Amino acid sequence: MRTLASFSCALLLCSVSAFGQNGLAAKPPMGWNSWNHFAGHVTDADVRSAADELVSTGMRDAGYVYVNVDDTWQGERDAQGVLHTNSRFPDMKALGDYIHSKGLKFGIYSSPGAKTCGGYAGSLGHEAQDAKMYASWGVDFLKYDLCSFQDNMNQAKAEHPNDPNAAKDLMIAAYRKMGDALKATGRPILYSLCQYGVDQPWKWGPGLGANMWRTTDDIDDSYGRMIAIGFSQAGLSKYAAPGHWNDPDMLEVGNGKMTEDEYKTHMSLWVILAAPLLAGNDLSKMSDSDKSILMNKDAIAIDQDSLGKQGDRLYESGDLDVWTKPLSGGRVAVGLFNRSWSVREVSVDLAAIGFRNGGNVRDVWEQKDMGQRKGVVTETLPKHGAALLIVSK
Ligand code: GLA
């Protein structure tokens, strides 16, 4: 009996780590989120049109299925504690139905604090009630953003000056509470932690059912911020696995303040990182270049590869960086990056990444096979540019 019990337990633990506790996010989640473009002005109509555009542009069929309403949808709580929407979102259930009717999934946003980052009502003290309401609306994804809960943490720190973990324990308990509330609804709801990497959520997130967790503070549509976040992910690869992923924040591709080469660098880094791919642009105004970056099939396949391994830095030399990501079938994705302000050559030695006898090389952005190569492969990259290669035997 003892042997049997510990065997089942081992099996249970195995299934938790392989698929996540709710069976979701076997691959890094893909979709669209309202924040990076619409921020606090988002409306029901914007979200419906994003759902339409996901279908008409081919984004849905490329894998972008979550339609996530970020902060600022909330109104006031009534005497029963029920949170109502504000006038920009007249009927969340109808919005969810519309999104589902397009073959897409519906995401929403809240905070463990009394207030969200935008100053709207958070879920503090109403976790189970809110989770049930989301489930009744058909919600498939919750982003849970720390925001004003940092005040509660500061208070815990002040009240327990000798306990170095007081704030951290309180925060983890708050995230566990909503995780449990989501589970109790019986509806599989993808759980996305957003607390900017405070206290290493990659270490405790999986234990409370998180499917992804932000690793850093917010991205913005600038090359400097994007690479600061992207290249700071070195060393985190061991914490990502099917069911739960590191999240270096949403995509800025198409928002207009980076060059095409810089957006290719952004997408190259994010797919090497097996990051959730949540587009954050106005889908009704995508240029051909935005589409070709966001919908490059090989790039998406690197992100979504069935091996489920995050990539990591191979080496860094001044402004040049080489990152690799192991792929299924013994293949390897290679990201070559030029962070300098001039054209530079960046190389990778195939022998150093497991291809002593050479391999077939495909250039993802050029969409062309470079044929059988051996030894050092060199790419000439424009300033802030990247090459993305897939090497196979
Ligand atoms: C925080 C999050 C952002 C966004 C805003 C909304 O800054 O990190 O992604 O959700 O809040 O207020």
Side-chain angles (χ1 to χ4, degrees):
M1 278 310 285
R2 219 180 136 173
T3 317
L4 187 63
S6 53
F7 180 62
S8 351
C9 178
L11 273 182
L12 178 69
L13 284 177
C14 178
S15 79
V16 164
S17 68
F19 307 110
Q21 292 177 0
N22 53 14
L24 300 173
K27 296 181 175 180
M30 293 176 66
W32 175 88
N33 173 294
S34 60
W35 186 255
N36 283 355
H37 177 75
F38 291 98
H41 305 291
V42 66
T43 65
D44 175 283
D46 295 330
V47 178
R48 284 172 191 252
S49 104
D52 295 344
E53 299 290 345
L54 283 172
V55 178
S56 65
T57 57
M59 292 273 286
R60 178 195 65 187
D61 294 342
Y64 294 86
V65 293
Y66 285 98
V67 181
N68 295 350
V69 180
D70 206 277
D71 199 359
T72 75
W73 60 265
Q74 309 88 334
E76 302 296 326
R77 286 192 192 275
D78 65 21
Q80 281 69 48
V82 177
L83 179 59
H84 294 267
T85 53
N86 62 45
S87 59
R88 286 182 281 116
F89 288 89
D91 187 340
M92 279 298 195
K93 169 83 172 74
L95 178 57
D97 289 347
Y98 186 78
I99 289 169
H100 290 143
S101 77
K102 303 268 161 184
L104 296 162
K105 292 173 185 290
F106 178 29
I108 207 160
Y109 167 102
S110 190
S111 169
K115 296 275 176 211
T116 67
C117 295
Y120 288 71
S123 291
L124 185 66
H126 298 274
E127 294 81 1
Q129 189 174 23
D130 286 359
K132 272 191 213 143
M133 183 174 70
Y134 305 149
S136 77
W137 289 344
V139 163
D140 305 297
F141 181 119
L142 173 69
K143 171 175 171 182
Y144 208 43
D145 192 354
L146 191 62
C147 302
S148 78
F149 198 77
Q150 289 166 109
D151 299 341
N152 304 60
M153 292 163 67
N154 288 335
Q155 197 181 330
K157 221 184 280 173
E159 283 168 7
H160 305 278
N162 299 322
D163 179 357
N165 290 322
K168 177 182 175 184
D169 291 348
L170 190 72
M171 173 179 65
I172 293 177
Y175 276 95
R176 188 182 299 284
K177 194 168 200 177
M178 183 50 97
D180 290 346
L182 293 176
K183 269 178 242 159
T185 67
R187 182 176 175 87
I189 298 178
L190 194 152
Y191 191 27
S192 165
L193 311 193
C194 176
Q195 41 78 277
Y196 338 118
V198 173
D199 287 317
Q200 304 184 308
W202 43 90
K203 294 196 172 156
W204 47 265
L208 50 84
N211 298 108
M212 53 192 266
W213 46 80
R214 280 272 296 278
T215 52
T216 70
D217 218 327
D218 292 14
I219 195 168
D220 61 38
D221 189 17
S222 70
Y223 177 72
R225 183 71 194 137
M226 181 275 291
I227 58 160
I229 288 180
F231 290 111
S232 75
Q233 304 301 292
L236 291 183
S237 57
K238 60 174 177 283
Y239 299 104
H244 50 84
W245 307 96
N246 290 305
D247 172 16
D249 208 355
M250 303 172 289
L251 295 169
E252 293 282 4
V253 176
N255 278 331
K257 298 212 173 103
M258 289 188 236
T259 65
E260 180 173 11
D261 288 329
E262 292 170 344
Y263 282 139
K264 280 185 185 163
T265 291
H266 185 7
M267 188 75 176
S268 301
L269 252 177
W270 263 236
V271 301
I272 288 274
L273 293 170
L277 298 178
L278 294 173
N281 55 321
D282 180 352
L283 300 174
S284 67
K285 297 199 171 70
M286 284 206 284
S287 67
D288 288 345
S289 159
D290 301 333
K291 287 182 190 165
S292 71
I293 293 171
L294 287 169
M295 287 190 273
N296 180 299
K297 282 200 165 63
D298 291 319
I300 291 173
I302 291 171
D303 184 78
Q304 299 284 298
D305 184 73
S306 59
L307 198 59
K309 290 223 181 282
Q310 177 171 335
D312 222 316
R313 176 178 270 141
L314 182 67
Y315 71 81
E316 180 186 22
S317 167
D319 284 333
L320 310 182
D321 248 281
V322 178
W323 289 57
T324 57
K325 177 185 196 285
L327 302 176
S328 54
R331 298 166 308 138
V332 176
V334 183
L336 304 168
F337 299 97
N338 171 16
R339 287 186 269 115
S340 82
W341 286 84
S342 53
V343 177
R344 298 284 293 275
E345 288 190 338
V346 188
S347 304
V348 61
D349 181 356
L350 297 186
I353 60 167
F355 295 88
R356 206 153 283 135
N357 299 319
N360 267 302
V361 180
R362 178 166 176 77
D363 186 316
V364 168
W365 295 122
E366 295 298 322
Q367 286 286 282
K368 68 168 197 244
D369 291 319
M370 296 164 69
Q372 185 74 20
R373 304 290 288 266
K374 200 170 174 200
V376 174
V377 172
T378 301
E379 292 266 353
T380 303
L381 301 178
K383 72 167 187 186
H384 297 177
L388 193 54
L389 308 176
I390 298 173
V391 188
S392 54
K393 290 248 153 74

mmCIF file of all heavy atoms in Angstrom, residues 334-366:
data_model
loop_
_atom_site.group_PDB
_atom_site.id
_atom_site.type_symbol
_atom_site.label_atom_id
_atom_site.label_comp_id
_atom_site.label_asym_id
_atom_site.label_seq_id
_atom_site.Cartn_x
_atom_site.Cartn_y
_atom_site.Cartn_z
ATOM 1 N N VAL A 334 18.849 29.161 -33.245
ATOM 2 C CA VAL A 334 19.948 30.056 -32.856
ATOM 3 C C VAL A 334 19.531 31.497 -33.139
ATOM 4 O O VAL A 334 19.066 31.803 -34.242
ATOM 5 C CB VAL A 334 21.230 29.747 -33.680
ATOM 6 C CG1 VAL A 334 22.384 30.633 -33.210
ATOM 7 C CG2 VAL A 334 21.608 28.281 -33.581
ATOM 8 N N GLY A 335 19.678 32.346 -32.144
ATOM 9 C CA GLY A 335 19.435 33.782 -32.334
ATOM 10 C C GLY A 335 20.770 34.499 -32.311
ATOM 11 O O GLY A 335 21.543 34.354 -31.362
ATOM 12 N N LEU A 336 21.057 35.242 -33.377
ATOM 13 C CA LEU A 336 22.294 36.035 -33.443
ATOM 14 C C LEU A 336 21.880 37.499 -33.349
ATOM 15 O O LEU A 336 21.007 37.942 -34.110
ATOM 16 C CB LEU A 336 23.013 35.787 -34.773
ATOM 17 C CG LEU A 336 23.347 34.327 -35.115
ATOM 18 C CD1 LEU A 336 23.790 34.207 -36.566
ATOM 19 C CD2 LEU A 336 24.447 33.811 -34.202
ATOM 20 N N PHE A 337 22.478 38.236 -32.444
ATOM 21 C CA PHE A 337 22.002 39.601 -32.175
ATOM 22 C C PHE A 337 23.138 40.622 -32.254
ATOM 23 O O PHE A 337 24.223 40.390 -31.706
ATOM 24 C CB PHE A 337 21.378 39.668 -30.767
ATOM 25 C CG PHE A 337 20.191 38.750 -30.604
ATOM 26 C CD1 PHE A 337 20.346 37.486 -30.030
ATOM 27 C CD2 PHE A 337 18.932 39.129 -31.043
ATOM 28 C CE1 PHE A 337 19.253 36.628 -29.878
ATOM 29 C CE2 PHE A 337 17.841 38.275 -30.907
ATOM 30 C CZ PHE A 337 18.008 37.023 -30.319
ATOM 31 N N ASN A 338 22.860 41.737 -32.898
ATOM 32 C CA ASN A 338 23.802 42.850 -32.975
ATOM 33 C C ASN A 338 23.176 44.056 -32.269
ATOM 34 O O ASN A 338 22.303 44.720 -32.814
ATOM 35 C CB ASN A 338 24.087 43.181 -34.451
ATOM 36 C CG ASN A 338 24.898 44.463 -34.604
ATOM 37 O OD1 ASN A 338 25.502 44.951 -33.643
ATOM 38 N ND2 ASN A 338 24.907 45.014 -35.819
ATOM 39 N N ARG A 339 23.633 44.331 -31.052
ATOM 40 C CA ARG A 339 23.055 45.447 -30.288
ATOM 41 C C ARG A 339 23.784 46.767 -30.579
ATOM 42 O O ARG A 339 23.473 47.780 -29.978
ATOM 43 C CB ARG A 339 23.123 45.127 -28.789
ATOM 44 C CG ARG A 339 22.116 44.063 -28.390
ATOM 45 C CD ARG A 339 22.063 43.844 -26.885
ATOM 46 N NE ARG A 339 22.980 42.814 -26.452
ATOM 47 C CZ ARG A 339 24.027 43.006 -25.668
ATOM 48 N NH1 ARG A 339 24.297 44.194 -25.193
ATOM 49 N NH2 ARG A 339 24.811 42.000 -25.348
ATOM 50 N N SER A 340 24.779 46.712 -31.471
ATOM 51 C CA SER A 340 25.567 47.935 -31.716
ATOM 52 C C SER A 340 24.852 48.858 -32.713
ATOM 53 O O SER A 340 23.826 48.502 -33.276
ATOM 54 C CB SER A 340 26.949 47.558 -32.271
ATOM 55 O OG SER A 340 26.838 47.317 -33.654
ATOM 56 N N TRP A 341 25.457 50.030 -32.919
ATOM 57 C CA TRP A 341 24.873 51.037 -33.822
ATOM 58 C C TRP A 341 25.439 50.946 -35.227
ATOM 59 O O TRP A 341 25.245 51.857 -36.031
ATOM 60 C CB TRP A 341 25.117 52.432 -33.237
ATOM 61 C CG TRP A 341 24.231 52.702 -32.064
ATOM 62 C CD1 TRP A 341 24.461 52.341 -30.778
ATOM 63 C CD2 TRP A 341 22.953 53.340 -32.082
ATOM 64 N NE1 TRP A 341 23.407 52.707 -29.978
ATOM 65 C CE2 TRP A 341 22.462 53.343 -30.756
ATOM 66 C CE3 TRP A 341 22.167 53.919 -33.087
ATOM 67 C CZ2 TRP A 341 21.237 53.883 -30.410
ATOM 68 C CZ3 TRP A 341 20.944 54.475 -32.737
ATOM 69 C CH2 TRP A 341 20.495 54.443 -31.408
ATOM 70 N N SER A 342 26.191 49.862 -35.521
ATOM 71 C CA SER A 342 26.732 49.730 -36.879
ATOM 72 C C SER A 342 26.564 48.295 -37.363
ATOM 73 O O SER A 342 26.225 47.408 -36.578
ATOM 74 C CB SER A 342 28.205 50.118 -36.894
ATOM 75 O OG SER A 342 28.881 49.376 -35.905
ATOM 76 N N VAL A 343 26.785 48.085 -38.658
ATOM 77 C CA VAL A 343 26.678 46.746 -39.226
ATOM 78 C C VAL A 343 27.786 45.878 -38.625
ATOM 79 O O VAL A 343 28.933 46.315 -38.528
ATOM 80 C CB VAL A 343 26.852 46.813 -40.772
ATOM 81 C CG1 VAL A 343 26.810 45.419 -41.379
ATOM 82 C CG2 VAL A 343 25.771 47.694 -41.384
ATOM 83 N N ARG A 344 27.433 44.670 -38.203
ATOM 84 C CA ARG A 344 28.453 43.788 -37.593
ATOM 85 C C ARG A 344 28.233 42.356 -38.050
ATOM 86 O O ARG A 344 27.111 41.965 -38.389
ATOM 87 C CB ARG A 344 28.343 43.828 -36.060
ATOM 88 C CG ARG A 344 28.580 45.181 -35.439
ATOM 89 C CD ARG A 344 30.041 45.578 -35.398
ATOM 90 N NE ARG A 344 30.810 44.729 -34.507
ATOM 91 C CZ ARG A 344 30.914 44.925 -33.187
ATOM 92 N NH1 ARG A 344 30.333 45.969 -32.646
ATOM 93 N NH2 ARG A 344 31.617 44.105 -32.433
ATOM 94 N N GLU A 345 29.305 41.585 -38.016
ATOM 95 C CA GLU A 345 29.185 40.152 -38.293
ATOM 96 C C GLU A 345 29.044 39.407 -36.975
ATOM 97 O O GLU A 345 29.765 39.700 -36.014
ATOM 98 C CB GLU A 345 30.429 39.651 -39.023
ATOM 99 C CG GLU A 345 30.492 40.124 -40.444
ATOM 100 C CD GLU A 345 31.598 39.434 -41.242
ATOM 101 O OE1 GLU A 345 32.551 38.918 -40.616
ATOM 102 O OE2 GLU A 345 31.481 39.414 -42.482
ATOM 103 N N VAL A 346 28.108 38.471 -36.919
ATOM 104 C CA VAL A 346 27.921 37.662 -35.710
ATOM 105 C C VAL A 346 27.965 36.200 -36.142
ATOM 106 O O VAL A 346 27.345 35.819 -37.138
ATOM 107 C CB VAL A 346 26.576 37.966 -35.010
ATOM 108 C CG1 VAL A 346 26.501 37.262 -33.667
ATOM 109 C CG2 VAL A 346 26.384 39.464 -34.819
ATOM 110 N N SER A 347 28.715 35.384 -35.387
ATOM 111 C CA SER A 347 28.942 33.997 -35.808
ATOM 112 C C SER A 347 28.544 32.999 -34.736
ATOM 113 O O SER A 347 28.557 33.308 -33.535
ATOM 114 C CB SER A 347 30.434 33.769 -36.083
ATOM 115 O OG SER A 347 30.887 34.681 -37.029
ATOM 116 N N VAL A 348 28.239 31.800 -35.196
ATOM 117 C CA VAL A 348 28.053 30.679 -34.269
ATOM 118 C C VAL A 348 28.794 29.484 -34.852
ATOM 119 O O VAL A 348 28.754 29.252 -36.065
ATOM 120 C CB VAL A 348 26.554 30.360 -34.037
ATOM 121 C CG1 VAL A 348 25.836 29.954 -35.315
ATOM 122 C CG2 VAL A 348 26.381 29.274 -32.974
ATOM 123 N N ASP A 349 29.490 28.769 -33.975
ATOM 124 C CA ASP A 349 30.199 27.560 -34.397
ATOM 125 C C ASP A 349 29.239 26.384 -34.232
ATOM 126 O O ASP A 349 28.863 26.041 -33.108
ATOM 127 C CB ASP A 349 31.453 27.397 -33.527
ATOM 128 C CG ASP A 349 32.259 26.170 -33.930
ATOM 129 O OD1 ASP A 349 31.806 25.416 -34.832
ATOM 130 O OD2 ASP A 349 33.334 25.964 -33.341
ATOM 131 N N LEU A 350 28.849 25.766 -35.329
ATOM 132 C CA LEU A 350 27.870 24.673 -35.232
ATOM 133 C C LEU A 350 28.384 23.538 -34.353
ATOM 134 O O LEU A 350 27.594 22.870 -33.674
ATOM 135 C CB LEU A 350 27.512 24.157 -36.634
ATOM 136 C CG LEU A 350 26.837 25.159 -37.573
ATOM 137 C CD1 LEU A 350 26.419 24.474 -38.875
ATOM 138 C CD2 LEU A 350 25.618 25.805 -36.923
ATOM 139 N N ALA A 351 29.690 23.330 -34.335
ATOM 140 C CA ALA A 351 30.254 22.259 -33.497
ATOM 141 C C ALA A 351 29.956 22.529 -32.014
ATOM 142 O O ALA A 351 29.711 21.602 -31.237
ATOM 143 C CB ALA A 351 31.753 22.141 -33.722
ATOM 144 N N ALA A 352 29.911 23.818 -31.648
ATOM 145 C CA ALA A 352 29.695 24.180 -30.239
ATOM 146 C C ALA A 352 28.241 23.987 -29.811
ATOM 147 O O ALA A 352 27.938 24.010 -28.619
ATOM 148 C CB ALA A 352 30.114 25.633 -30.018
ATOM 149 N N ILE A 353 27.343 23.778 -30.764
ATOM 150 C CA ILE A 353 25.934 23.578 -30.373
ATOM 151 C C ILE A 353 25.444 22.180 -30.769
ATOM 152 O O ILE A 353 24.258 21.948 -30.967
ATOM 153 C CB ILE A 353 25.011 24.677 -30.961
ATOM 154 C CG1 ILE A 353 25.059 24.693 -32.497
ATOM 155 C CG2 ILE A 353 25.382 26.047 -30.409
ATOM 156 C CD1 ILE A 353 23.942 25.527 -33.121
ATOM 157 N N GLY A 354 26.390 21.262 -30.874
ATOM 158 C CA GLY A 354 26.021 19.855 -31.054
ATOM 159 C C GLY A 354 26.042 19.356 -32.482
ATOM 160 O O GLY A 354 25.590 18.256 -32.759
ATOM 161 N N PHE A 355 26.571 20.160 -33.412
ATOM 162 C CA PHE A 355 26.595 19.727 -34.821
ATOM 163 C C PHE A 355 28.042 19.648 -35.312
ATOM 164 O O PHE A 355 28.470 20.403 -36.178
ATOM 165 C CB PHE A 355 25.760 20.694 -35.680
ATOM 166 C CG PHE A 355 24.291 20.685 -35.340
ATOM 167 C CD1 PHE A 355 23.790 21.525 -34.339
ATOM 168 C CD2 PHE A 355 23.406 19.822 -35.983
ATOM 169 C CE1 PHE A 355 22.447 21.508 -33.999
ATOM 170 C CE2 PHE A 355 22.054 19.799 -35.651
ATOM 171 C CZ PHE A 355 21.572 20.638 -34.656
ATOM 172 N N ARG A 356 28.787 18.709 -34.700
ATOM 173 C CA ARG A 356 30.219 18.577 -35.038
ATOM 174 C C ARG A 356 30.403 18.274 -36.529
ATOM 175 O O ARG A 356 31.322 18.752 -37.156
ATOM 176 C CB ARG A 356 30.826 17.457 -34.177
ATOM 177 C CG ARG A 356 32.297 17.633 -33.966
ATOM 178 C CD ARG A 356 32.767 17.003 -32.670
ATOM 179 N NE ARG A 356 32.420 17.808 -31.513
ATOM 180 C CZ ARG A 356 31.909 17.322 -30.386
ATOM 181 N NH1 ARG A 356 31.676 16.051 -30.262
ATOM 182 N NH2 ARG A 356 31.630 18.127 -29.384
ATOM 183 N N ASN A 357 29.478 17.454 -37.064
ATOM 184 C CA ASN A 357 29.603 17.110 -38.498
ATOM 185 C C ASN A 357 28.780 18.038 -39.380
ATOM 186 O O ASN A 357 28.491 17.717 -40.526
ATOM 187 C CB ASN A 357 29.161 15.670 -38.721
ATOM 188 C CG ASN A 357 30.028 14.709 -37.929
ATOM 189 O OD1 ASN A 357 31.254 14.897 -37.879
ATOM 190 N ND2 ASN A 357 29.426 13.723 -37.294
ATOM 191 N N GLY A 358 28.366 19.147 -38.823
ATOM 192 C CA GLY A 358 27.592 20.122 -39.591
ATOM 193 C C GLY A 358 26.103 19.836 -39.531
ATOM 194 O O GLY A 358 25.657 18.871 -38.907
ATOM 195 N N GLY A 359 25.326 20.707 -40.151
ATOM 196 C CA GLY A 359 23.875 20.538 -40.146
ATOM 197 C C GLY A 359 23.241 21.393 -41.225
ATOM 198 O O GLY A 359 23.914 22.224 -41.853
ATOM 199 N N ASN A 360 21.953 21.151 -41.407
ATOM 200 C CA ASN A 360 21.188 21.972 -42.346
ATOM 201 C C ASN A 360 20.767 23.256 -41.653
ATOM 202 O O ASN A 360 20.256 23.203 -40.535
ATOM 203 C CB ASN A 360 19.927 21.228 -42.781
ATOM 204 C CG ASN A 360 20.178 20.462 -44.046
ATOM 205 O OD1 ASN A 360 20.561 21.051 -45.054
ATOM 206 N ND2 ASN A 360 19.993 19.156 -43.985
ATOM 207 N N VAL A 361 20.929 24.369 -42.311
ATOM 208 C CA VAL A 361 20.613 25.647 -41.666
ATOM 209 C C VAL A 361 19.487 26.341 -42.438
ATOM 210 O O VAL A 361 19.554 26.460 -43.665
ATOM 211 C CB VAL A 361 21.867 26.561 -41.632
ATOM 212 C CG1 VAL A 361 21.532 27.889 -40.968
ATOM 213 C CG2 VAL A 361 23.010 25.861 -40.897
ATOM 214 N N ARG A 362 18.462 26.756 -41.685
ATOM 215 C CA ARG A 362 17.390 27.547 -42.293
ATOM 216 C C ARG A 362 17.392 28.947 -41.682
ATOM 217 O O ARG A 362 17.473 29.100 -40.463
ATOM 218 C CB ARG A 362 16.031 26.870 -42.059
ATOM 219 C CG ARG A 362 14.880 27.671 -42.634
ATOM 220 C CD ARG A 362 13.587 26.882 -42.731
ATOM 221 N NE ARG A 362 12.492 27.721 -43.208
ATOM 222 C CZ ARG A 362 12.291 28.089 -44.466
ATOM 223 N NH1 ARG A 362 13.120 27.686 -45.415
ATOM 224 N NH2 ARG A 362 11.279 28.864 -44.799
ATOM 225 N N ASP A 363 17.307 29.963 -42.532
ATOM 226 C CA ASP A 363 17.259 31.350 -42.063
ATOM 227 C C ASP A 363 15.783 31.757 -41.967
ATOM 228 O O ASP A 363 15.082 31.846 -42.979
ATOM 229 C CB ASP A 363 18.029 32.253 -43.045
ATOM 230 C CG ASP A 363 18.130 33.679 -42.537
ATOM 231 O OD1 ASP A 363 17.101 34.210 -42.039
ATOM 232 O OD2 ASP A 363 19.211 34.274 -42.638
ATOM 233 N N VAL A 364 15.324 31.994 -40.740
ATOM 234 C CA VAL A 364 13.892 32.217 -40.490
ATOM 235 C C VAL A 364 13.395 33.531 -41.083
ATOM 236 O O VAL A 364 12.340 33.583 -41.709
ATOM 237 C CB VAL A 364 13.621 32.161 -38.965
ATOM 238 C CG1 VAL A 364 12.226 32.669 -38.627
ATOM 239 C CG2 VAL A 364 13.825 30.744 -38.455
ATOM 240 N N TRP A 365 14.131 34.619 -40.915
ATOM 241 C CA TRP A 365 13.628 35.917 -41.418
ATOM 242 C C TRP A 365 13.773 36.019 -42.931
ATOM 243 O O TRP A 365 12.949 36.636 -43.604
ATOM 244 C CB TRP A 365 14.307 37.099 -40.718
ATOM 245 C CG TRP A 365 13.967 37.149 -39.260
ATOM 246 C CD1 TRP A 365 14.842 37.123 -38.216
ATOM 247 C CD2 TRP A 365 12.655 37.192 -38.677
ATOM 248 N NE1 TRP A 365 14.167 37.147 -37.025
ATOM 249 C CE2 TRP A 365 12.821 37.195 -37.273
ATOM 250 C CE3 TRP A 365 11.362 37.224 -39.183
ATOM 251 C CZ2 TRP A 365 11.751 37.223 -36.374
ATOM 252 C CZ3 TRP A 365 10.283 37.254 -38.299
ATOM 253 C CH2 TRP A 365 10.483 37.257 -36.919
ATOM 254 N N GLU A 366 14.835 35.404 -43.468
ATOM 255 C CA GLU A 366 14.992 35.409 -44.933
ATOM 256 C C GLU A 366 14.083 34.377 -45.571
ATOM 257 O O GLU A 366 13.927 34.353 -46.792
ATOM 258 C CB GLU A 366 16.455 35.107 -45.308
ATOM 259 C CG GLU A 366 17.461 36.161 -44.869
ATOM 260 C CD GLU A 366 17.200 37.508 -45.526
ATOM 261 O OE1 GLU A 366 16.825 37.526 -46.704
ATOM 262 O OE2 GLU A 366 17.344 38.535 -44.827
#
